[in-house]
Every structure is written in structure tokens, then in C-alpha cells.
Amino acid sequence: MTPSGPFAHLDGERRVIDSSQDSMVRPGQLPPLFQFSQNSLQDYADCRRRFQLRFIEGLRWPAARSEPIEEHEQFVNHGVDFHLLVQRHLLGIPIEKLAPVENPLAEWWDAYLHYPPPDLPTTLRLPEVQLSTPLAGYRLMAKFDLLAIDPGERAVIVDWKTSRKRPPRDQVLNRLQTHVYPYVLAEAGTHLFGRPIAPEQINLIYWFAAAPTDPEILPYSADRHAENRAYLEGLIGEILTIDDEIWPLVEDEFHCRYCEYRSLCDRGVRAGSLDEIDAAEEESDWDFEWDDVEEIAF
Amino acid sequence: MNSHTGEYSGEADPRTMLVEGPFGVGKTSFAIETLFTWLSDGVPPENILVMVPQRTLAYPYWEALRGADYGPLGSVDVRTVNGLAKDMVNIYWPLVAGEAGFAEPERGPHFLTLETAQYAMADFVDRAVENGEFDAINVSPQQIARQIVDNLGKAALMGIDYRQIPDFLTGAWGPDRPRKRVLAYQAAGRVADAYRQYCLKYRLLDYSLQIECFTRLLRLPDFREAFFGARTHLIVDHVEEEDALTHTLIRDWLPHLDAALLVYEQDGGYRVFLGANPEGGQALARDCEGVLTLSESYFTSPGLEALLDEVAYSFNQPGSDPAPEGSDLAFDFAFHSYYPQMIDWVADRIDHLVHDQGIAPKEISVLAPFLSDALRFSLGQKLDQRGIPHVSHRPSRALRDEPAARCVLTLAALAHPEWGERPPQADVAQALQLAIAGLDPVRAALLAKVVYRPGGDEVLTAFDRITPQMQARITYVVGQRYDHLRDWLVTAAAERATALDHFFSRMFGELISQSGYGFHDDPEAGRVVAELVESARKFRQSLYSDQSIDPIEIGRRYFTIVRQGLLAALYVASWRDEHADAVFMAPAYTFLLRNRAVDVQFWLDVGSVGWWERLDQPLTHPYVLSPNWPAGRIWTDSDEVVRQEEMLYKIVSGLIRRCRSHIYLGLSDLGEQGYEQRGPLLRVFQQILRRHPQPVEGLEVSRE
């Protein structure tokens, strides 16, 4: 009798994966488990050398990213706490068990309850979802704070931003996140949507705790999708072709003030002030920390 | 059923299946194939969970899932059950905190590592030690704390109240052995109770409380329904390495799932100290609708198959026969009088394999019961001399033993005179040598001698206040760098309210990784200091975020426990190490759980009893604190011998199965510590050599 159902492949020829055979780290190349994300691409866009140090060489360099470190740490912790709070809410934990007492969390929570992102689809609310799609021979992944979907009709990506100031629109538009998120959802969200998603059915909303009534709502389109594909493919292609021993350093040294590798690159001594960093970059810094947290949590 | 693929028994269309077999027969490959079949059949990726007992065993799944050749994809979770439990407790904390007895449940939990848990317990242990409550046992307070933490975890996994542990241990100890041990069990019970109350007060969740809270969550109907409903398809790889609680979870989960595949490795179950319950893993076959047995090894050569037969026969395994006379057993055995000679032999052999036979370094592993710093250093140095890359796995190396960490800690002590710590002059010299580029050990010792004033108003004297002759000897360039370092430390000392991890970060970024300083272009130092920063931050945030204690005092406490060697480096061999083209040096256990085959293995210290003996842990017991041990039954010496023989057979057969080509056995008459070595593993190979004589370098073996 031949088994079928979830084990219908049982009668097939066995393949044995000997993972030690094909997954060797080669100096100067991306590691075997690497996948591109908005963070890594943003690092590349900001400074190629930073990308090389962080992702090709995997170099840990424990200098401060911004000063005062104490405030930076609080900023990161509050961001993590807020995301967790919203996740708990979206997973159905009763609201009376969630009320935070300390600011800024209490203020943000109040803002979230009174001024949530507008006009969200209601059928599916999926917090902390990760999707990925192949691009230029690698995987491009996105981890969404929230996907709100009415299957077959529309899908909204929500990203919670806890930077201290709302960044101007042009800064938001230029972030790699704005390119990566809708692109990945359009390519990899079919199973959640019930059928292929047309780019026009996607919106990306940045919701700002510091300005909850003024979210940035970014509609997506087929033209934008094609542009994004070309742009992201180009970036990855560029990364794969660099064979310099030391990748080019960013010209504008302002970035170096908020980069932990500044001493290695002889680009300064003290970390830049948290007050001078722009909101989008501040958030990007935080997002990177969040990825770290995820990794450590395993 | 295709005979090529194994033997299947069970229902024609199984919903749940257990696949079993030894290492190297394609079980994980089958599991990955199953995973991709499910995805191809349209199972939403978010509905699939892959559970593995430890992170390294997730790599094959990650590699498969991260390949670009598979199309767009959602997130397939590949997790350890501990990671999953911790996440669930973190997210659903508001549902469980009050009921579990935590104070101020509306505030968040703090998760403890093994090290921070030991520290949280340290005061309670110290008090008991001072009262003489542990006089009956000869172990350090740190070891006592570690074993009590371990007992709490085991109680959680057994699903019993932790207060029952002294009774379990007393029952196994029996009435005829010295009563003092029972008093020590009872003292351990009192410490555990005081520590548990402390954890509840400050919402500190060690491993045991994470598991208990997760278990508690699973008893909530809404959570249980949501948890079981969120995943429809489950793969559990290496069920033999999981504990009894996980097996119960799987058993409860199976009826709710659309499909499940459990992977069981025969002869596995190495993580006994972490609660592995191989018998319970195999018993899950009865809960599955089908069982697939795979037996054809894809890795092991005929010569190693013959060696496996010989080993099984030597261990009196049921149904075993010796290899036929004349079999070509794929091992070489070399005898040396002294340990360093054995290390030279290993290095020479590896040199020959790599440079003359073209074997890739990553296809060679060097294994020993323990990987001491001395072994790692001496063999590493010899491989360096031969131009052969190598990596080592050091799971329990203390932070204080890392030179970069010691340097940073010494400088921190100099910048915090209020701690009352006065580092020895030799430590200051070494710290200056590492921190200042261009400063050799001789000048560093001189500099420390003339500038270091422990207990003085100025702990470090300025360079311009030492004699011109001495300045000239040390050089002015170094002097300038030294002065800058000194100024930085003086300024830092004036900024009192700084957390120690922040101090480390600033000192690293602004000073010692700058041009002209020792860590400027030193990735290894960066890694070690990053671990130190992370460790100090976790220490502060998990233990003290709810207590109004001066950061300076928290820093002092952290410094003290690192100096005591309590904190291990968090070092986990990264994927970079795991996948580097380098000879891998590791303890045998670590290699087994890495779950990879290599072409060539070297086994060192074959005569060592370390291959056989359990660690001496008088306050805990991996076999007695297990659901398989009948409460009240006495643990006898013969139980010990039987279990250790079983484990030694598992280790030896597991290592052979993870080898494709050849094994080299190294033995020195005198071990690393200078003692004569005649352990059980040596006796096994002596038996094999009597049946199959072969030339042994340095030793004559007669036929049986």
C-alpha cells in the first residue's frame, strides 16, 4: 500500500543532504544563511564599508552608536516594549491587562488606542509576520509589524514608528524599507491574500507614536513595483560584484557619527548626539537592534 | 514501499509519522523533503513549525529555506522548544504572571541566563555555606548554585514541585550511606526555596520558571486552543534529545495536527544532563500512525562499518558479532609516552592529510573528552605553524580567561577606585600592553611598575612625572598614548553614574579601538568585548532594573563575579565558525550535537577516564531526576556502571557514524595532567586490536 496525504512523497527516491558539503564560508562573500533585508540594504545604501563589516565579515564592534548611551538604550527598550504591547493586543489579550503605567509607553498606548492607523482591513490582522522572495539569486526578506488583509481585496502593511520626531515625507520615501516592504508583500503574500496581490491593492502605513494623527500612507502601484524590482535587483547585483578588499567608505561623514565602526575606519572618536540624528535614521538604528533581539531570542 | 528508502509500517495514509534510524541514513533529509512537500501542497508556511533541541541542529532547515531556488515564502518557524516557551511567556505574560505568584504582575518579566540565575542565588548559597550546611560535600559555592539551578529546571521538566527534589535525591541515596549527604540535599532545598521567592518578588524568570509558566499557559483553554490551532503541521527533529515535558507536549499536540513528522535517532540521547529522554522519544512511535525505519548509511565506509561492528561486540550489544577476520578497520592507533608528543603527532598527521592528500581542513575534526585551553593553544599553535586554519568550540570558557576581557576589566577597575579593587601589577602591565599599540611586554612591565600606585590618590601617574631615562626607555610615542589612556580613565572615573556596560562601550569606541591602541584592528578583541558588554548589560537589566541600586555598585558586583570565573563567555560557535574551511577542535559531546559528518576524526586522550566518567555533581543527578527513575529506588554502583557503559557506547558509535573515511586514535601514557591513563575506551580498543592486530605506533599488541 502506498502512503498518500502528507507523506505521499514517501515512495520517492531519497536524497541525502550533507550540509557540510556545500555551505562553506568563503572569505569576502556573503555567508550561506544570508538573506537581504531592508536593514542590510539600508546599511549598504548608507555606507558600503559598513555593509561589508557587518554582513560579509560579521564583525562585532561594541562601540556606542549614539550618545548618551543611556538614552539610546531607553529608546530601544521603549520601542521593543511598544511593539510587544501592540502584538499582545492584536493577539487578543484583554485590553484591561495591557495598560502600561509609565511614559512614554502609556502615552503611545493611549495614542494607539485613540488614533489607530486609519481604515485597516479587518478580516486578517497578523502581527510580526515574515515573508521572503528570491531576488537576484538571494532571498529578500521583510518582517512586518502588522499585515491587515481583506483576502482578495486589499492588504495594508503597518509599521509602528517610535522615533521621537515624525520624519518628513521625503526622508520616509527614501528609506529602503519603503521599497522593500510592499515589494516583498506583492511577491510573497499570495498565500495570505488567497490569490496573487496586485500592487494597487497594497498600502504601506507608517504610524508615528509622536504624531499618531498624521500617519504616512503610501499607496503602491504596478509602476512602483517595477521600479522597485529594478532598484533592488540593481543594489543586490552591485553588492555581488564588489571585489574590493576594503569596500568604499561613505563620503558624508555624518553617517559615521552614528556607526559603531567609526574607530575602525578612523572616522571619529565619540558617538553622535541622539538629538541631532534624523528621525528616519534613528528608527533604522532601532530596527537593527530589534533584529538582534530576534536572533538572540532563539 | 520502496526497499531503497527503508521499511515502513503503519497506516496506508498516515497523518503522523515517526522516522527512525542511526545518524547518516537520511532522516533529516527526509524531514526537509517533507517540509517542502507540504509547502508545495499549499500548506501556509506560517502554519508549519520545525522544532529542534538546539540551535546548531536548525542549520540544515535554515539552509534549505533560505535557498533562493524555492519561490516566494512565508515564515516557517524553526525553533527550540525553550525558545518557543520563552517567547510565549513573554508575549502572554499578562495572562500568567499574577496566577504564577509574581509580585507586581502588571510589570514585565526579566529573563535570566544560567549565569545570572546563579548570581541571583549566590547570596543564599553563601549564607548556607557559612552556616556549614554544605560541609558534607566538597564543591565550590558556584557549583552548589549551578546544581540547585539545574535541579529547579529538572523539576519543571518532570512536572513536579521543586520542593520534592530533596526527597527524590534522598530516596536514591538510600538509608545506608552517610547521612550528611541527606542534610546537604535538604540545605539545597532550602536555598532553592529562598531563591524562588526572590525570583517571584522581582519577576526573574530562570529556565525553570519559564517552563513552569509555559506549562501554566498551556492549561488555559483559550491559550491552548490558540497555540495548538496556530500550527497545523509539525516536524520535530531529534526527539531523542528532547525532555519528557516536550514529549508530553508533542503527544498532546498530535491529535490536533493535520500532519506531523517526528525524527528519532537511534543511539542518540546525548543531552542527558539537559534532561534528554531517548526512551520517551522512541515511545512516541506508539502515538504515530506510521513508522519509517531507515538503515542504509550514506556516509560510513565499509572499514568504519566493520569498526562499528567491533565496537558493538566489545560493548556486548545484543545481536552483535565481531567483524570478520581480516577486515580492514578504518582506524590508526598511536601510542606516546607524553602528552606533547601526542599533540605533535596529531599536527603532523593533519599536515600530511591536508598538504599531501588534499583533504580540506573542514573535513577534519579533533575530538577530546574535554578541550582545555592548553590543548587548544598548543595544537592551534602547531597548526598555525603548518599553515592550517582551525576553529575551536569552547562552550564553557570563563570570560576572565579571555585576554581582551581581562584587559578591559583591569582598566575598568582602575577607573573605579571606589570598588576597592586593586588589580595586581602584572594584570595592569598586561592590560597596558594589550591596550597600547607598540608596547611590548618588557616595556609594559616597566611602565606598570613606575606608574601604577594602588591605593594612592592617583592610581596611575602621568608619564611626564616619571624619570627622563625611564621615559626614553618606554618611548615618547607610547608615553603619549599612555597619557591619553590615563586621562580618559580619570575623566571616566569622574563621571560616576555610568553603567559598566556603557563604560565598556565608550572605552572600546573612544579609546582602545582607536588608531594607536591595541584593539584598533582586532576582530577577536571586538568579539570578546562585545560579549562582555552584552553580558554586563544582561546582568544589570535582568537583575537590577527594578531595584534602585547605584550603577557603580552593580558594576562592582559584576566585576566580582567575572573575577570569580562565574560568568562564562556567551560564545557560541557562529555559522561562520561552523562553516569555515578549518579543522574543528571540540569536546566529543559538542561534535556529536553538531550533527555533521567529516572525513577524518582524531580522538585524543583515548586512555582518559573523561570519556567515561560523569561530572561529580553531588547535589543533582541526571538519571534520578528523570521521569524514568522510580521514586525511592536506590541508585547503586552497578547502575552507575551500566549507565556509563551505555553512554560510552553511544558516544563511540555516534562518533564513528559521523566519520566518512578514517579515525586516528591518540594515546599518551601520561595525560595532560601527568597521570597514567588506562580508561575504559582504551580497554575497548585493546580488545579490538587483539582481534584485529595492526601496527600501532609505539606499542606492541598481542593477539587474543
Side-chain angles (χ1 to χ4, degrees), chain A residues 1-26 29-35 49 52-64 66-71 73-74 77 80 84-85 87-88 91-94 97-102 126 128-141 184 187-192 260 262-271 289 294-298, chain B residues 1-2 4-5 8 11-17 24-26 28-30 32-34 37-38 41 44-46 52 54-55 58-60 62-63 65-75 78-80 83 86-87 89-95 107 109 233 258-261 292 294 298-299 362-363 497-499 501-502 504-506 508-510 513-515 519-523 526-527 529-531 533-534 537-538 540-541 575-576 579-581 596-597 660:
Chain A
M1 188 73 76
T2 301
S4 58
F7 298 102
H9 56 295
L10 189 59
D11 267 350
E13 190 82 0
R14 285 285 77 73
R15 280 187 311 120
V16 171
I17 299 165
D18 183 0
S19 52
S20 60
Q21 292 298 297
D22 56 2
S23 57
M24 197 164 69
V25 170
R26 291 174 178 82
Q29 292 188 8
L30 288 166
L33 297 183
F34 184 79
Q35 44 188 352
R49 176 65 170 154
Q52 182 195 18
L53 291 169
R54 195 170 276 168
F55 300 104
I56 305 264
E57 297 184 7
L59 182 65
R60 297 179 69 187
W61 206 247
S66 58
E67 285 281 3
I69 306 181
E70 293 77 6
E71 278 183 38
E73 180 180 293
Q74 275 195 338
N77 289 345
V80 170
L84 180 60
L85 196 59
Q87 186 184 6
R88 285 172 176 167
L91 287 172
I93 295 180
K97 287 187 173 285
L98 294 178
V101 289
E102 290 170 7
L126 305 169
E128 304 300 333
V129 178
Q130 186 176 309
L131 300 175
S132 67
T133 188
L135 190 67
Y138 274 82
R139 294 202 83 81
L140 174 64
M141 65 83 92
V184 172
E187 292 290 322
T190 301
H191 68 283
L192 299 172
E260 71 268 31
R262 77 186 76 79
S263 59
L264 189 76
C265 301
D266 291 322
R267 287 284 184 91
V269 175
R270 282 185 68 86
E289 297 279 358
E294 289 295 288
E295 184 68 11
I296 291 162
F298 189 97
Chain B
M1 183 72 210
N2 183 338
H4 172 73
T5 58
Y8 175 77
E11 296 183 14
D13 183 11
R15 185 179 54 84
T16 57
M17 183 188 288
V25 295
T28 296
S29 301
F30 179 68
I32 290 172
E33 197 181 339
T34 301
T37 300
W38 292 348
D41 289 348
E46 291 78 14
V52 290
Q54 67 177 41
R55 183 189 176 90
Y59 285 148
W62 283 343
E63 282 179 333
L65 288 166
R66 291 190 181 179
D69 48 350
Y70 197 79
L73 198 60
S75 174
V78 185
R79 307 297 303 273
T80 62
K86 184 180 169 186
D87 268 8
V89 172
N90 194 32
I91 293 170
Y92 291 95
W93 172 253
L95 300 185
R107 304 180 72 179
H233 289 65
D258 292 344
L261 176 66
L292 175 65
L294 303 176
Y298 289 81
F299 296 130
K362 76 184 177 78
E363 289 301 338
T498 301
D501 49 310
H502 296 165
F504 290 152
S505 276
R506 286 191 179 111
F508 180 85
E510 297 174 14
S513 70
Q514 289 287 330
S515 179
F519 295 179
H520 180 54
D521 192 13
D522 186 345
R527 180 188 68 73
V529 180
E531 283 173 14
V533 169
E534 190 179 319
R537 188 179 69 226
K538 277 186 180 164
R540 172 175 57 86
Q541 290 185 334
W575 49 261
R576 284 173 199 277
H579 296 274
D581 186 15
R596 286 171 183 269
R660 295 192 200 91

Side-chain angles (χ1 to χ4, degrees), chain B residues 517-566:
Chain B
Y517 291 87
F519 295 179
H520 180 54
D521 192 13
D522 186 345
E524 176 65 6
R527 180 188 68 73
V528 170
V529 180
E531 283 173 14
L532 193 67
V533 169
E534 190 179 319
S535 157
R537 188 179 69 226
K538 277 186 180 164
F539 179 82
R540 172 175 57 86
Q541 290 185 334
S542 57
L543 290 174
Y544 297 108
S545 57
D546 285 355
Q547 301 179 49
S548 52
I549 296 179
D550 183 2
I552 295 292
E553 171 57 16
I554 297 172
R556 188 195 64 75
R557 293 182 190 183
Y558 179 79
F559 180 87
T560 305
I561 62 162
V562 174
R563 195 183 51 185
Q564 288 170 346
L566 181 60

Side-chain angles (χ1 to χ4, degrees), chain B residues 100-133:
Chain B
F102 289 96
E104 299 184 85
E106 66 283 0
R107 304 180 72 179
H110 305 294
F111 293 97
L112 301 183
T113 62
L114 178 59
E115 284 82 10
T116 49
Q118 286 179 73
Y119 184 78
M121 185 183 281
D123 280 350
F124 305 110
V125 172
D126 286 347
R127 256 174 264 155
V129 168
E130 281 166 23
N131 291 338
E133 296 175 51

Side-chain angles (χ1 to χ4, degrees), chain A residues 116-181:
Chain A
D119 192 26
L120 290 186
T122 53
T123 311
L124 285 177
R125 295 279 174 94
L126 305 169
E128 304 300 333
V129 178
Q130 186 176 309
L131 300 175
S132 67
T133 188
L135 190 67
Y138 274 82
R139 294 202 83 81
L140 174 64
M141 65 83 92
K143 185 167 182 188
F144 305 98
D145 289 345
L146 171 63
L147 285 182
I149 297 174
D150 282 335
E153 293 177 21
R154 63 197 188 100
V156 176
I157 303 163
V158 182
D159 198 69
W160 314 113
K161 295 292 187 194
T162 54
S163 53
R164 290 174 300 176
K165 290 176 286 189
R166 186 205 191 284
R169 182 179 169 85
D170 61 329
Q171 271 183 24
V172 171
L173 290 178
N174 285 334
R175 302 299 293 178
L176 257 301
Q177 187 177 21
T178 302
H179 300 274
V180 169
Y181 275 25

